[in-house]
Amino acid sequence: MVFQYANKGSLHQFLSSSFRELNWKNKLKQLVDISENLIKVHEAEYVHGDFHSGNILQINILMVI
């Protein structure tokens, strides 16, 4: 199993350190992003297990134009 390096850590770490600074729009955006990616996992017929905030990894993508 190969994973891309998650330079922003887990969702649990992120929420533990940033929860009070996030507004509801940011929190809902996180939930929508997780839901959309979970749909992609299911559509690709991959199997996931032990799904919790410590296993949801986040990356910071920089776009250069």
Side-chain angles (χ1 to χ4, degrees):
M1 186 178 295
V2 177
F3 289 100
Q4 179 178 354
Y5 174 69
N7 60 357
K8 291 183 73 179
S10 71
L11 178 63
H12 179 76
Q13 292 169 332
F14 174 71
L15 292 177
S16 293
S17 65
S18 308
F19 192 79
R20 293 182 188 259
E21 290 81 31
L22 296 172
N23 61 33
W24 277 105
K25 184 176 180 180
N26 297 125
K27 292 173 187 175
L28 290 173
K29 173 75 170 114
Q30 288 280 333
L31 182 59
V32 167
D33 289 345
I34 292 166
S35 300
E36 289 174 347
N37 284 299
L38 188 56
I39 288 169
K40 290 178 185 178
V41 168
H42 289 160
E43 286 174 345
E45 296 184 11
Y46 291 123
V47 176
H48 62 81
D50 200 18
F51 189 70
H52 59 78
S53 63
N55 287 343
I56 299 172
L57 305 177
Q58 298 187 315
I59 60 171
N60 187 18
I61 300 172
L62 298 175
M63 296 185 69
V64 179
I65 298 176

